[in-house]
C-alpha cells in the first residue's frame, strides 16, 4: 500500500539519517495549503477557530522576530495592531498609547467634528513625558481650589498663570508644601504661591533628556516649560518621569516626529467638513467608516478625499468579498478594512442575514487586494494572540480590535463593579440602540455607519454591555506583541512578510479543526483553573 506515492515501510526500517531525504518523495508537505484550506466551496466559510497553523522549524530566538507591516500603501507600523473607532475604545488616551506602543489608534466620530479634531490635535501635540494640558490656576483662585484638584486628580503641584489658563504668563507655582499649614481655605493663591522669580523653568523646545537633567539637578517635583514671552506651554512632572517608559517602537511621522494618528468619518455631505477639520488638526490616516462599504456614498467619498487631500491615506470598508474590495480599490482606497458581523458586540449576521465568516472574508479580500498593493486590516472577532496571527497568515497586514482593548485603562469611560463584583468597563457596538440614539440626539453628532441612525425606527446591529478590566495597554499590547513573536517562531518565520510569503508559496501549512479538535485544544478535564495570560 502506498501513501502519497511513498511505501509505508512496514517491511523495512529505514536508516534514520535518511529521514529528511524521504520527505522529498512526498507529493506535498504535510497539512493543507491556504488555497486547499479556504478555496473549498463545499466546506463552508471558516473562521478563526476552525483551523490551525502547523508548526515549522525554529532556528532563531523569538526576540529576533519582527512584526513590521503596512496599514496603507504609504504607512507602516512596527506592531500591526489598531484600536477600533468606537466610542468605548478610542479617544485621545488610547490613540496616544497605541501609537507609542508601535500601533495606531483610530479616533471615533460619535461626537462633534470639533471634539474629534481636538482629540486628533492632542495626539499630534503629544510629546512623551511632557504634560501638554496641565491643570492651571490663577493667583485669585484659593487654597480650597487646590484641595479640590488634589482630591479629584491626586496631585497638588499646580502652575499659576496670570489668567489661570495655559498659554498665559507664568506667575508662580503652588505645591502641597505651600498650603498645608494655612487654615483659611479662602486664602488666595497669590499669598502662598512660590513666585516666578524663585521658580526653575525650561524653555519650550527643550528635549526630554535635557529637561530631565534640570529636574534632577534642582530636586523639584515639577518643571514648568515656557515660551520666549514667559507663557506657560507645558509641564514636566518628576513622578511621571519615573513612570516613563521608553517607546522605541513608537509610530511616528518621520518629518515631524509627531505620533501617528487616525480617525474615522462617515459618508454624509457633512463628513467632508468634518474631515477638513481633522486634517487641519494634523490627521495622518482616515477610515471611511461603514458596516457595508460598497456603496455609492463611500465610493464618492473616497474619490473626493483623494482629490482634495492627496497626502492623506484613506482606508475604505468594511468589505468581505472581492467584488466589494474591487469597487473601493478602483475608487482609490489606500487600504481596506475587512469584517462584517464578526465583531464581539455585533448582531449584523443575525439581523441582516448578511456578512461572512471572518477567516474566509480575510483570505478572499486579501488575495485580491494584494495584486494591487493594497494592504488590508482584519477587523473584529479577535479574542486572543492566535486570532491575530491567523488574520495575518490569511493575508491581512494589520489587525483591528475593539472589545479586546475596551477594558483597558486607556479606553474612554470609568470602571464599575458588575453584579458579580467584577471590575468592568462599558463596551457597546456602534450600531447598538444606545450608540445610535446618542448620535440622533447629540449636538452636531456623528455620522452614520449603519444607514439607520436618522430613521424613525432604529434597526440595531449591535449590543451594549461590558468587558472585564485588562489593566493598561502599556502592559497588554507588549504582551500581544511578545505572543505574536513566539507564535511566528513556532511557525518558523522571522517576520510578518515571511509569514505571508510562505503561506502563499505553500511552505506554511494549515489544518482544519473539527468541533472535537477545538475542545481538545482548549483546557479540558481540570476541576478548576486560573487563566492568567501574562505576568505584569
Ligand atoms: P471586536 O474587536 O470583536 O469587539 O470588534 C470590533 C469591530 O466590530 C469594530 O471595529 C467594528 O468593525 C465592528 N462593530 C462595531 N460596532 C458594531 C455594531 O454595533 N455592530 C456590528 N459591528 C460593529
Amino acid at each position: 500500500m502506498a501513501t502519497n506515492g511513498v511505501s509505508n515501510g512496514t517491511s523495512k526500517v529505514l536508516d534514520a539519517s535518511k529521514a529528511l531525504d524521504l520527505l522529498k518523495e512526498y507529493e506535498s508537505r504535510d497539512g493543507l495549503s491556504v488555497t486547499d484550506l479556504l478555496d473549498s466551496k463545499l466546506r463552508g466559510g471558516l473562521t478563526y477557530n476552525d483551523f490551525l497553523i502547523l508548526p515549522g522549524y525554529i532556528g532563531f530566538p523569538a526576540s529576533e522576530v519582527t512584526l513590521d507591516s503596512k496599514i496603507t500603501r504609504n504607512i507602516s507600523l512596527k506592531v500591526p495592531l489598531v484600536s477600533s473607532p468606537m466610542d468605548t475604545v478610542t479617544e485621545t488616551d488610547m490613540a496616544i498609547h497605541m501609537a507609542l506602543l508601535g500601533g495606531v489608534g483610530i479616533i471615533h466620530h460619535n461626537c462633534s467634528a470639533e471634539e474629534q479634531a481636538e482629540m486628533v490635535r492632542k495626539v499630534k501635540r503629544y510629546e512623551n513625558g511632557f504634560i501638554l494640558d496641565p491643570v492651571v490656576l490663577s493667583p485669585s483662585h484659593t487654597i480650597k481650589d487646590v484641595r479640590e484638584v488634589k482630591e479629584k486628580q491626586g496631585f497638588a503641584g499646580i502652575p499659576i498663570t496670570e489668567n489661570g489658563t495655559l498659554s498665559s504668563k507664568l506667575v508662580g507655582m503652588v505645591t502641597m508644601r505651600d498650603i498645608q499649614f494655612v487654615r483659611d481655605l479662602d486664602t488666595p493663591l497669590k499669598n502662598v504661591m512660590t513666585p516666578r522669580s524663585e521658580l526653575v523653568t525650561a524653555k519650550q523646545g527643550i528635549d526630554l533628556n535635557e529637561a530631565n537633567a534640570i529636574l534632577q539637578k534642582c530636586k523639584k517635583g515639577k518643571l514648568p516649560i515656557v515660551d520666549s514671552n514667559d507663557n506657560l506651554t507645558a509641564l514636566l512632572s518628576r513622578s511621571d518621569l519615573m513612570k516613563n517608559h521608553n517607546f522605541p517602537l513608537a509610530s511616528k511621522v518621520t518629518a515631524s516626529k509627531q505620533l501617528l494618528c487616525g480617525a474615522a468619518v462617515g459618508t454624509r455631505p457633512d463628513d467632508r467638513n468634518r474631515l477638513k477639520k481633522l486634517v487641519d488638526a494634523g490627521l495622518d490616516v482616515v477610515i471611511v467608516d461603514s458596516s457595508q462599504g460598497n456603496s455609492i456614498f463611500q465610493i464618492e467619498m473616497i474619490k473626493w478625499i483623494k482629490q482634495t487631500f492627496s497626502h492623506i491615506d484613506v482606508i475604505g470598508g468594511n468589505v468581505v468579498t472581492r467584488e466589494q474590495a474591487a469597487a473601493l480599490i478602483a475608487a482609490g482606497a489606500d487600504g481596506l478594512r475587512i469584517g462584517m458581523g464578526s465583531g464581539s458586540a455585533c448582531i449584523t449576521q443575525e439581523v441582516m442575514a448578511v456578512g461572512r465568516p471572518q477567516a474566509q472574508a480575510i483570505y478572499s479580500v486579501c488575495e485580491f487586494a494584494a495584486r494591487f498593493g493594497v494592504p488590508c486590516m482584519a477587523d473584529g472577532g479577535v479574542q486572543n494572540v492566535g486570532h491575530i496571527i491567523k488574520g495575518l497568515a490569511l493575508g491581512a497586514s494589520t489587525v483591528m480590535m475593539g472589545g479586546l482593548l475596551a477594558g483597558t485603562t486607556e479606553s474612554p469611560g470609568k470602571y464599575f463593579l458588575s453584579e458579580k463584583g467584577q471590575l468592568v468597563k462599558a463596551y457597546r457596538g456602534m450600531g447598538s440602540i444606545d450608540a445610535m440614539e446618542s448620535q440622533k440626539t447629540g449636538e452636531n453628532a456623528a455620522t452614520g455607519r449603519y444607514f439607520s441612525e436618522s430613521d424613525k425606527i432604529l434597526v440595531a446591529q449591535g449590543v451594549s454591555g461590558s468587558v472585564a478590566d485588562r489593566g493598561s495597554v502599556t502592559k497588554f499590547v507588549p504582551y500581544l506583541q511578545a505572543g505574536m513573536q513566539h507564535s511566528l517562531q513556532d511557525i518558523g518565520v522571522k517576520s510578518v512578510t515571511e509569514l505571508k510569503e510562505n503561506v502563499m508559496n505553500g511552505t506554511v501549512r494549515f489544518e482544519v479543526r473539527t468541533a472535537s479538535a477545538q475542545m481538545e485544544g482548549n483546557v479540558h478535564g481540570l476541576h478548576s483553573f486560573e487563566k492568567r495570560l501574562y505576568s505584569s
Side-chain angles (χ1 to χ4, degrees):
M1 216 172 123
T3 313
N4 288 326
V6 179
S7 154
N8 67 7
T10 45
S11 56
K12 187 174 161 223
V13 175
L14 298 177
D15 180 351
S17 68
K18 298 278 185 299
L20 293 172
D21 293 334
L22 184 64
L23 283 179
K24 294 181 195 135
E25 293 178 29
Y26 284 77
E27 278 162 16
S28 64
R29 293 175 72 93
D30 206 353
L32 300 170
S33 70
V34 72
T35 37
D36 287 344
L37 177 76
L38 287 161
D39 262 0
S40 160
K41 302 269 182 297
L42 296 176
R43 191 180 286 131
L46 299 189
T47 194
Y48 291 137
N49 288 336
D50 294 324
F51 72 98
L52 285 168
I53 303 171
L54 296 186
Y57 169 69
I58 299 178
F60 49 87
S63 58
E64 277 182 20
V65 174
T66 56
L67 301 173
D68 300 46
S69 191
K70 282 191 163 185
I71 178 169
T72 61
R73 282 185 197 274
N74 303 302
I75 303 175
S76 287
L77 302 176
K78 294 243 174 294
V79 179
L81 301 178
V82 185
S83 67
S84 176
M86 300 172 75
D87 60 6
T88 46
V89 181
T90 312
E91 293 191 341
T92 310
D93 207 19
M94 179 65 79
I96 287 175
H97 285 89
M98 285 303 289
L100 286 172
L101 294 162
V104 70
I106 310 293
I107 293 176
H108 73 85
H109 54 121
N110 191 18
C111 55
S112 71
E114 289 70 26
E115 286 164 337
Q116 195 185 11
E118 189 49 32
M119 292 192 248
V120 170
R121 199 165 285 117
K122 282 188 179 156
V123 178
K124 297 305 291 181
R125 286 181 60 219
Y126 181 84
E127 286 176 72
N128 187 19
F130 291 97
I131 305 164
L132 295 172
D133 54 354
V135 174
V136 182
L137 293 174
S138 75
S140 51
H141 277 101
T142 61
I143 291 183
K144 199 164 143 203
D145 296 314
V146 178
R147 291 214 175 264
E148 259 172 34
V149 173
K150 169 86 179 144
E151 212 163 275
K152 280 197 195 132
Q153 321 232 22
F155 56 81
I158 300 170
I160 311 298
T161 64
E162 247 169 26
N163 66 11
T165 62
L166 196 67
S167 308
S168 153
K169 250 190 194 33
L170 181 70
V171 292
M173 187 88 197
V174 166
T175 64
M176 210 52 203
R177 242 182 278 165
D178 299 315
I179 62 167
Q180 69 195 137
F181 300 117
V182 186
R183 289 257 166 83
D184 181 3
L185 293 185
D186 293 325
T187 309
L189 298 180
K190 61 174 170 271
N191 296 356
V192 294
M193 70 187 187
T194 307
R196 171 71 183 95
S197 54
E198 291 173 28
L199 293 182
V200 179
T201 60
K203 278 268 172 294
Q204 190 176 17
I206 190 169
D207 80 25
L208 193 63
N209 288 338
E210 289 169 325
N212 192 2
I214 297 178
L215 253 188
Q216 289 190 349
K217 201 163 160 218
C218 71
K219 300 199 170 91
K220 301 267 192 235
K222 299 262 157 61
L223 181 69
I225 313 292
V226 291
D227 66 13
S228 51
N229 295 320
D230 217 31
N231 295 320
L232 180 74
T233 61
L235 190 70
L236 195 65
S237 150
R238 175 186 287 272
S239 53
D240 282 357
L241 265 184
M242 321 271 265
K243 283 189 258 161
N244 243 321
H245 308 269
N246 224 346
F247 294 103
L249 302 176
S251 308
K252 289 192 174 167
V253 180
T254 327
S256 65
K257 294 204 182 134
Q258 291 175 328
L259 291 181
L260 195 71
C261 183
V265 298
T267 54
R268 294 179 180 165
D270 267 1
D271 284 298
R272 299 186 179 193
N273 293 330
R274 177 181 285 265
L275 184 58
K276 282 182 192 149
K277 293 194 170 114
L278 301 178
V279 172
D280 283 346
L283 189 73
D284 301 296
V285 55
V286 61
I287 284 190
V288 183
D289 190 21
S290 177
S291 59
Q292 207 290 50
N294 189 16
S295 70
I296 178 76
F297 316 112
Q298 175 150 167
I299 289 169
E300 285 181 355
M301 184 72 175
I302 292 176
K303 284 184 182 161
W304 176 81
I305 298 173
K306 290 313 295 177
Q307 274 163 12
T308 318
F309 305 109
S310 53
H311 66 291
I312 299 285
D313 273 12
V314 188
I315 298 175
N318 280 23
V319 294
V320 290
T321 69
R322 77 173 86 91
E323 287 76 15
Q324 288 179 298
L328 301 192
I329 291 171
D334 302 296
L336 291 175
R337 186 174 166 209
I338 303 170
M340 190 172 194
S342 57
S344 59
C346 177
I347 52 172
T348 299
Q349 294 183 0
E350 173 191 327
V351 177
M352 317 304 279
V354 289
R356 198 171 197 185
Q358 185 67 345
Q360 203 75 40
I362 296 170
Y363 176 68
S364 295
V365 173
C366 292
E367 181 276 326
F368 183 77
R371 301 179 193 210
F372 302 90
V374 175
C376 295
M377 177 188 290
D379 169 28
V382 168
Q383 291 165 4
N384 49 45
V385 178
H387 289 172
I388 296 175
I389 293 296
K390 288 176 181 178
L392 297 174
L394 297 182
S397 299
T398 54
V399 172
M400 176 175 270
M401 293 163 295
L404 211 57
L405 298 173
T408 60
T409 325
E410 289 76 7
S411 70
K414 292 213 161 65
Y415 288 105
F416 58 96
L417 281 180
S418 72
E419 280 164 14
K420 289 185 188 151
Q422 244 192 333
L423 206 54
V424 294
K425 255 193 181 183
Y427 178 55
R428 66 182 185 186
M430 296 313 295
S432 62
I433 295 292
D434 263 10
M436 287 200 287
E437 273 178 353
S438 76
Q439 291 168 23
K440 234 177 171 178
T441 51
E443 201 182 309
N444 267 331
T447 53
R449 182 173 203 265
Y450 297 92
F451 304 115
S452 174
E453 292 85 345
S454 52
D455 292 351
K456 240 190 196 156
I457 298 177
L458 296 175
V459 177
Q461 290 193 42
V463 300
S464 53
S466 61
V467 287
D469 169 32
R470 277 192 193 280
S472 168
V473 285
T474 57
K475 298 268 162 56
F476 187 55
V477 169
Y479 152 70
L480 296 177
Q481 178 195 338
M484 289 162 74
Q485 288 177 304
H486 281 282
S487 168
L488 293 191
Q489 183 193 37
D490 274 353
I491 295 168
V493 294
K494 281 178 95 172
S495 66
V496 172
T497 318
E498 196 181 329
L499 170 70
K500 293 210 233 180
E501 278 167 11
N502 287 0
V503 168
M504 289 324 283
N505 69 24
T507 316
V508 169
R509 311 291 285 182
F510 298 87
E511 194 67 273
V512 176
R513 229 175 160 202
T514 60
S516 48
Q518 291 186 39
M519 281 169 66
E520 178 188 71
N522 282 316
V523 180
H524 54 272
L526 274 68
H527 170 64
S528 68
F529 66 94
E530 183 195 12
K531 198 169 178 183
R532 278 180 67 206
L533 291 175
Y534 58 100
S535 57
S536 52

